[in-house]
Amino acid sequence: MGRGRQKAKHTKIARELKSYSPNVNFSALESELGHPSSDDDQYVDKWADQYEDEDEDELERA
């Protein structure tokens, strides 16, 4: 292939890629990757109910 035809082919491919926008199902992708769907329990300490709260006074005495 000559340089002109090669450049035209690359230009055509570049235009196709630029205008290409696939349909993505983000919820399916999120579940496939194992990311939790809700952020409500992101900051919940799941071990908090197993230990008693320590007061700051007790920490200063120790």
Side-chain angles (χ1 to χ4, degrees):
M1 238 191 279
R3 176 68 183 133
R5 289 175 59 194
Q6 184 180 10
K7 183 179 179 186
K9 185 176 180 180
H10 286 291
T11 303
K12 178 183 174 186
I13 293 171
R15 284 186 186 138
E16 290 174 359
L17 290 174
K18 187 177 180 180
S19 63
Y20 178 70
S21 59
N23 294 330
V24 179
N25 185 350
F26 289 107
S27 60
L29 180 63
E30 186 177 27
S31 65
E32 184 177 331
L33 294 175
H35 190 273
S37 59
S38 68
D39 293 332
D40 296 339
D41 58 357
Q42 180 178 0
Y43 299 107
V44 174
D45 187 4
K46 61 183 178 181
W47 307 109
D49 58 343
Q50 294 182 359
Y51 300 100
E52 292 183 14
D53 292 337
E54 296 179 1
D55 293 335
E56 290 181 16
D57 296 336
E58 292 177 8
L59 293 175
E60 290 176 3
R61 285 186 235 154

